[in-house]
Amino acid sequence: GQQVMQIPQYQHVQEGEDFTTYCNSSTTLSNIQWYKQRPGGHPVFLIQLVKSGEVKKQKRLTFQFGEAKKNSSLHITATQTTDVGTYFCAGPRGDYKLSFGAGTTVTVRA
Amino acid sequence: NAGVTQTPKFQVLKTGQSMTLQCAQDMNHNSMYWYRQDPGMGLRLIYYSASEGTTDKGEVPNGYNVSRLNKREFSLRLESAAPSQTSVYFCASRHLSREETQYFGPGTRLLVL
């Protein structure tokens, strides 16, 4: 079945530095979604990418959907303590379900 | 709008006890979901309800049952709790439209001793 893999599992970042987290699917996706979960919180939707090669920005966050629609990335510039949390990507599985990656947990050193 | 609400927030059970986790949404969403989250394993789907009146198994349904009580409410029942069911449980909902976003509740933290 479809699997969504995320790397790295953990990302330790110095405040002010940039980093990227990657998401790869075993099958072509119609879209990919990204969610953020703060420590002790619940997943919150960030963005959805639909088109091949699509790039979307939210302030310091840049999301990209691969040309083959099988991979995606999230790049954060000038990391801040507010970026702490776990970032999940998710791809559709059938008409109703999502397949979530295991997540990248981000910690920030001040 | 409250969005997705879950009760209780925390629960401690002894092995063999039963309990029902409650979930309600006020966004007029068609589909509802129950996930469990364990360290390093992301979100795993237990059961889902595509629309009122239907329920289907997800990846990890063993030991659980669900009821879609009406369009707003979707409950998860543990008939005989086991330590392996210690987890954080999230309910989510989604409107069947072009956008497939799921909206999550605050979660229930369950410890089974």
Side-chain angles (χ1 to χ4, degrees), chain A residues 16-90:
Chain A
E17 289 185 342
D18 303 352
F19 76 91
T20 303
T21 178
Y22 300 91
C23 180
N24 294 290
S25 170
S26 55
T27 59
T28 301
L29 301 171
S30 59
N31 68 78
I32 194 150
Q33 300 174 35
W34 285 89
Y35 293 76
K36 178 182 179 181
Q37 183 179 23
R38 295 183 185 276
H42 60 277
V44 175
F45 173 76
L46 291 177
I47 207 161
Q48 179 175 274
L49 304 171
V50 179
K51 298 177 183 177
S52 169
E54 188 171 16
V55 178
K56 287 188 176 181
K57 292 188 176 183
Q58 290 181 348
K59 298 182 180 178
R60 295 177 294 101
L61 278 61
T62 301
F63 302 84
Q64 187 166 6
F65 201 10
E67 294 291 339
K69 301 182 76 174
K70 295 180 73 173
N71 56 73
S72 181
S73 63
L74 161 58
H75 180 78
I76 300 182
T77 58
T79 304
Q80 299 178 359
T81 55
T82 54
D83 296 322
V84 164
T86 300
Y87 294 83
F88 294 98
C89 62

Side-chain angles (χ1 to χ4, degrees), chain B residues 33-105:
Chain B
Y33 306 82
W34 276 105
Y35 294 91
R36 60 177 289 173
Q37 185 176 36
D38 303 292
M41 301 193 73
L43 294 157
R44 292 186 293 169
L45 183 65
I46 304 171
Y47 270 94
Y48 70 103
S49 172
S51 59
E52 186 179 358
T54 68
T55 60
D56 284 287
K57 294 179 180 179
E59 304 167 67
V60 288
N62 291 345
Y64 306 95
N65 285 299
V66 291
S67 295
R68 183 75 183 264
L69 304 170
N70 47 56
K71 190 172 185 179
R72 291 187 63 248
E73 298 172 288
F74 189 37
S75 63
L76 178 72
R77 183 161 178 84
L78 286 68
E79 290 291 351
S80 178
S84 61
Q85 294 178 305
T86 293
S87 189
V88 181
Y89 291 86
F90 289 103
C91 177
S93 69
R94 173 201 157 190
H95 192 279
L96 287 182
S97 64
R98 192 164 174 270
E99 190 175 271
E100 299 177 39
T101 305
Q102 292 190 12
Y103 296 84
F104 285 80

Side-chain angles (χ1 to χ4, degrees), chain B residues 4-8 19-24 32 34 67 69 73-77 91 108:
Chain B
V4 181
T5 57
Q6 291 183 236
T7 56
M19 78 163 295
T20 300
L21 282 65
Q22 306 287 354
C23 174
M32 298 185 73
W34 276 105
S67 295
L69 304 170
E73 298 172 288
F74 189 37
S75 63
L76 178 72
R77 183 161 178 84
C91 177
T108 294

